[in-house]
Amino acid sequence: MSLDTLKSAIPDYAKDLRLNLSSVVTNSDLTPQQLWGTVLATAIASRSPIVLRELAPDAREMLTPEAYKAAKTAASVMAMNNVFYRTRHLLSDPDYNNLRAGLRMNILANPGVEKVDFELWSFAVSAINACGACLDSHEQVLRKAGVDREVIQEAFKIASVIQAVGVTLEAEEILKD
């Protein structure tokens, strides 16, 4: 299956999602590596087997092996970081922010791709996982690196569409008549 198969699986009541999925993937101003790394990382973060199964082969075709691995790594490390830092952020006791995290994140030093691309993928995953602290942190790094707001918005637009497609298709699978 592929992007086209995924689009055709979206029910008519969610036609806007079908159009948005097509638009965010085919009309993006991101570089191909940024686009397909964002697609892969957010497909993983969506936790939707259908979405991941359909989009991963296209991502593998469009990315170098190093970039494919780095996008998977971004989804993996952010799955941990988003829970940890979101919890710290939500706790009313600010003293937790003074404690050492004690979590290994060595991959962040050398993710195997351009740092900006890895940050963009981490940002998009953080959007799906709703970690405000991580979103702020990655957005600041991206902005300091000269990345325009429009590029950053493109990443969270992709994340929002991928997540919505996953939710919709999983619901359809469960509600089959």
Side-chain angles (χ1 to χ4, degrees):
M1 285 201 194
S2 65
L3 177 63
D4 289 333
T5 305
L6 190 60
K7 288 188 309 189
S8 69
I10 297 172
D12 287 340
Y13 70 80
K15 179 182 177 185
D16 288 337
L17 283 181
R18 186 180 315 123
L19 297 172
N20 287 332
L21 180 60
S22 181
S23 177
V24 298
V25 174
T26 60
N27 298 323
S28 177
D29 289 332
L30 300 179
T31 67
Q33 177 167 296
Q34 289 171 339
L35 170 65
W36 286 100
T38 302
V39 168
L40 179 60
T42 58
I44 293 167
S46 77
R47 297 176 186 88
S48 169
I50 297 166
V51 169
L52 184 56
R53 186 173 44 248
E54 298 308 322
L55 294 178
D58 290 345
R60 186 182 295 275
E61 185 177 309
M62 298 301 295
L63 294 168
T64 65
E66 296 80 15
Y68 188 85
K69 179 180 175 185
K72 293 190 314 179
T73 300
S76 175
V77 75
M78 294 317 298
M80 174 185 67
N81 285 356
N82 291 157
V83 171
F84 183 83
Y85 289 105
R86 181 178 63 234
T87 301
R88 258 193 184 178
H89 178 77
L90 292 172
L91 287 170
S92 58
D93 183 347
D95 289 339
Y96 284 99
N97 292 324
N98 299 324
L99 300 176
R100 184 176 167 277
L103 298 172
R104 296 184 61 94
M105 299 175 252
N106 294 335
I107 191 65
L108 300 180
N110 185 11
V113 294
E114 290 183 42
K115 182 80 167 150
V116 165
D117 292 354
F118 193 82
E119 287 288 334
L120 193 68
W121 304 337
S122 297
F123 174 86
V125 171
S126 297
I128 288 178
N129 292 331
C131 179
C134 295
L135 285 167
D136 283 343
S137 176
H138 293 291
E139 191 265 348
Q140 289 171 12
V141 170
L142 289 164
R143 295 292 292 142
K144 283 180 186 169
V147 178
D148 293 332
R149 284 181 179 88
E150 293 80 7
V151 170
I152 295 168
Q153 179 172 292
E154 189 76 18
F156 67 83
K157 187 164 51 171
I158 292 166
S160 67
V161 171
I162 297 290
Q163 175 68 6
V165 169
V167 167
T168 301
L169 294 179
E170 291 300 308
E172 283 300 300
E173 184 67 25
I174 292 167
L175 299 173
K176 273 197 242 180
D177 292 331

